[in-house]
Amino acid sequence: MENNVEENMQMDESVASVEGLEGLSTGVTDEATFEIDDDDVVSVEAGEGSEEIIYIDNKEDILCMDLKGTSPHETRKFEFSSLDMAYEFYNWYARMNGFAVRKSKMIKSNKGEILQQTFVCHRQGFREDRGLTIENRKRECKPKTRCGCEAKFRVHIDMFSQRWLITVFTDQHNHELLDEEYHGMLAAHRKMKESDIMQMNDMLKVGIGPSQFYSSLANQSGGYEKIGFRKKDIYNQIGKQRLLKRCDGKNALQYLHGLASNDSLMFYRHTVDGEGRLEHLFWCDGISQMDYGAYGDVLAFDATYGTNKRHVK
């Protein structure tokens, strides 16, 4: 098996390197080649028939895995039901091992179907040089995070089974990996849960600001590093909610306008208050009008709403 690995570990980065990817679209550039150890790469041929295949069909299958320190050779037994599952797997692997993931190059067929996708470490590549200097820069330069890391994870679809297989998996990082307690502070792994958002909104209603709420979460979790997001994420979420409130009426009118373009009988009218906010809205589509014309005495109103979500009293 070691001979097979050595024969296949230097895989051609061009389109012709993946079996079954005929009729590919152009525009795929080659990646730089580099030397890697046997333990840092996995190839499809090396894993065939050697171990029992494990099928990953949903996110629950991934979250129950302990991927801390898992070597690329141990992952060759996995097959994924979709490209999203392959991404979730590598993202979970990255979280448990102290780095984050970015989507990189893909190969598509002439029909636009994705046949191959490469995921890379978030520190892959280098920052683009735009010719900015301290004198002509408007804002202070952010710290550089990209350092040319070569770690990557590539999958391609099997044309017969329609499952996604691991083609290349290198785990050679040229930077230090984060300790477990800081994994959740990486941008790719930071996310406010629905329960956190609901608790935040309840705090805001009684006059407790984002800073106090964030400190409260730190006390509950046992430290700021265990919260799973930063204070900035709270302000971003508040901004999203404010934008959503301002755009609700506009989005509703745009939706009705779209219905009217496909339904010649569609009718809707609205009024606004003195501040330009949506006040009254009435609509009736063609089917409703025909039903009313046929039966006359049947009229239904849907008066349900979410009082907490829309703040309707």
Side-chain angles (χ1 to χ4, degrees):
M1 185 171 64
E2 293 180 358
N3 293 334
N4 289 336
V5 174
E6 292 176 358
E7 293 174 1
N8 293 285
M9 76 179 207
Q10 295 294 342
M11 301 188 66
D12 188 359
E13 301 291 336
S14 64
V15 172
S17 64
V18 181
E19 183 178 356
L21 302 185
E22 296 86 355
L24 304 179
S25 58
T26 59
V28 179
T29 59
D30 292 339
E31 300 176 2
T33 60
F34 56 94
E35 294 184 359
I36 49 182
D37 299 330
D38 288 355
D39 292 335
D40 293 328
V41 66
V42 61
S43 63
V44 175
E45 291 85 357
E48 291 180 349
S50 59
E51 295 187 46
E52 181 182 358
I53 297 176
I54 297 178
Y55 298 103
I56 298 179
D57 298 320
N58 52 64
K59 196 170 182 178
E60 287 69 24
D61 294 339
I62 299 172
L63 297 180
C64 66
M65 296 180 181
D66 183 7
L67 301 177
K68 177 68 174 178
T70 302
S71 68
H73 278 279
E74 295 178 84
T75 64
R76 60 189 173 192
K77 56 189 176 183
F78 297 122
E79 292 187 6
F80 309 97
S81 60
S82 66
L83 181 59
D84 289 338
M85 285 300 103
Y87 170 75
E88 291 292 345
F89 171 83
Y90 191 46
N91 192 53
W92 182 246
Y93 172 88
R95 181 185 178 92
M96 299 194 72
N97 288 276
F99 66 100
V101 174
R102 289 192 293 107
K103 293 182 179 181
S104 184
K105 303 173 185 176
M106 69 172 62
I107 295 178
K108 293 184 177 180
S109 66
N110 292 331
K111 298 180 180 179
E113 300 172 340
I114 300 177
L115 303 178
Q116 178 179 285
Q117 174 76 62
T118 301
F119 306 100
V120 297
C121 175
H122 73 293
R123 304 194 68 177
Q124 180 266 352
F126 297 93
R127 177 180 293 179
E128 181 182 357
D129 184 9
R130 300 179 181 177
L132 297 177
T133 62
I134 298 178
E135 290 75 16
N136 59 17
R137 181 180 293 275
K138 294 182 179 180
R139 294 184 295 180
E140 184 178 354
C141 181
K142 295 182 179 180
K144 292 184 177 181
T145 57
R146 299 198 181 187
C147 58
C149 181
E150 301 285 3
K152 61 185 173 183
F153 177 81
R154 178 177 299 150
V155 294
H156 76 86
I157 190 169
D158 183 271
M159 297 301 180
F160 299 101
S161 65
Q162 290 298 303
R163 300 188 69 87
W164 290 82
L165 312 177
I166 301 175
T167 306
V168 173
F169 187 3
T170 65
D171 195 27
Q172 183 174 326
H173 297 267
N174 64 351
H175 56 89
E176 293 185 3
L177 302 178
L178 294 181
D179 294 333
E180 184 175 357
E181 59 182 3
Y182 300 115
H183 294 176
M185 303 308 292
L186 290 170
H189 303 315
R190 294 199 318 264
K191 183 179 181 181
M192 292 188 68
K193 301 177 182 178
E194 288 296 329
S195 59
D196 296 329
I197 296 175
M198 293 178 61
Q199 188 177 358
M200 177 196 71
N201 290 329
D202 291 338
M203 293 285 190
L204 293 175
K205 290 178 182 178
V206 297
I208 299 177
S211 297
Q212 293 85 348
F213 168 64
Y214 192 62
S215 299
S216 174
L217 286 179
N219 291 330
Q220 297 175 18
S221 304
Y224 289 100
E225 70 278 359
K226 297 182 180 180
I227 296 178
F229 54 89
R230 298 187 304 173
K231 188 190 299 184
K232 181 180 179 181
D233 298 316
I234 298 178
Y235 287 100
N236 290 340
Q237 180 62 34
I238 294 174
K240 289 179 182 179
Q241 293 182 169
R242 289 175 178 171
L243 181 62
L244 181 61
K245 290 179 182 179
R246 292 197 299 267
C247 296
D248 270 357
K250 182 179 179 180
N251 292 338
L253 294 176
Q254 289 179 346
Y255 175 74
L256 293 175
H257 181 73
L259 293 179
S261 62
N262 298 320
D263 185 355
S264 59
L265 297 178
M266 179 69 186
F267 175 87
Y268 68 96
R269 290 290 186 272
H270 74 281
T271 62
V272 296
D273 61 14
E275 299 180 2
R277 295 177 300 186
L278 183 63
E279 186 177 32
H280 299 107
L281 175 63
F282 174 83
W283 74 94
C284 184
D285 59 20
I287 295 178
S288 298
Q289 295 180 44
M290 289 187 289
D291 290 342
Y292 185 75
Y295 301 100
D297 56 349
V298 178
L299 187 62
F301 292 94
D302 183 3
T304 60
Y305 53 81
T307 55
N308 291 334
K309 186 175 182 180
R310 302 301 178 189
H311 302 284
V312 179
K313 297 182 180 179

